[in-house]
Amino acid sequence: MIAFTFPNLRNFTTHLFLKETFDGFLLTEADVVTFNSFHIDGLINKEFFTEEELLQLGEERLSRWRAVRPICFSLIRGHKLPLSFKILFRLSSTDTNKLLAQSGLAGLYDIESFYLNVLYKNNALTCVTGTATREFTMDKTAEQIWDTAVKHFFQKWGIDFDMA
């Protein structure tokens, strides 16, 4: 688990809310505090969709960020900055397995998922990586692979960061 801070808040939030940079992540939950507090739980309500739409969604139970991003942006858009927001992203099962396979770790670790926690509060933005395993392990190799992947993700998109 590592923490990132971002010297250019505008650059990061542009990628987060206006560009497709984070669209592949699943949304576990989002909290936005402006004139009210808003909570989005990210869980897909399957009753809302037709059978055809459900087939397109696949097996994931969580919404993709691309589906919720415009809603979150509408909550923070305006002349005043939000008081805070917290967004918890999760890597999809497919992407988790792909990352482990690319790293030569496929089948070696029982990873539930990799997480990225985004927190904006007191005019500062931080991201913290996280790894959820299905059973306890002292081996941090998979966690380190995820930490490195997140660093490369930010570098690829030109998002400047500092290590907190």
Side-chain angles (χ1 to χ4, degrees), residues 114-126:
F114 294 113
Y115 291 90
L116 184 62
N117 299 287
V118 180
L119 177 63
Y120 170 77
K121 190 172 186 175
N122 299 326
N123 295 318
L125 192 131
T126 58

Side-chain angles (χ1 to χ4, degrees), residues 16-36:
L16 183 62
F17 293 111
L18 297 175
K19 295 185 176 184
E20 298 175 355
T21 309
F22 292 86
D23 281 2
F25 284 98
L26 300 173
L27 177 68
T28 300
E29 68 177 333
D31 292 303
V32 178
V33 180
T34 57
F35 64 94
N36 285 116

Side-chain angles (χ1 to χ4, degrees), residues 26-147:
L26 300 173
L27 177 68
T28 300
E29 68 177 333
D31 292 303
V32 178
V33 180
T34 57
F35 64 94
N36 285 116
S37 296
F38 301 92
H39 177 77
I40 300 171
D41 74 0
L43 288 173
I44 293 172
N45 292 318
K46 294 191 177 212
E47 311 79 51
F48 180 78
F49 297 99
T50 65
E51 290 296 322
E52 185 177 303
E53 290 169 328
L54 283 173
L55 288 173
Q56 290 176 348
L57 287 173
E59 295 191 24
E60 293 293 351
R61 300 177 353 188
L62 298 170
S63 295
R64 294 271 175 185
W65 176 242
R66 72 174 146 258
V68 184
R69 177 171 46 92
I71 296 162
C72 289
F73 179 63
S74 72
L75 294 173
I76 66 157
R77 190 174 70 201
H79 298 292
K80 292 184 175 183
L81 292 173
L83 295 174
S84 67
F85 63 79
K86 178 181 77 171
I87 301 169
L88 178 56
F89 289 123
R90 177 180 175 159
L91 202 60
S92 71
S93 299
T94 301
D95 290 339
T96 296
N97 292 333
K98 189 184 301 182
L99 177 62
L100 291 171
Q102 289 171 347
S103 304
L105 302 176
L108 298 178
Y109 296 93
D110 196 8
I111 302 294
E112 179 184 324
S113 191
F114 294 113
Y115 291 90
L116 184 62
N117 299 287
V118 180
L119 177 63
Y120 170 77
K121 190 172 186 175
N122 299 326
N123 295 318
L125 192 131
T126 58
C127 286
V128 178
T129 61
T131 304
T133 57
R134 289 190 179 90
E135 41 185 76
F136 179 77
T137 179
M138 292 293 291
D139 186 347
K140 301 296 182 193
T141 305
E143 183 177 317
Q144 292 164 352
I145 295 296
W146 175 235
D147 294 344

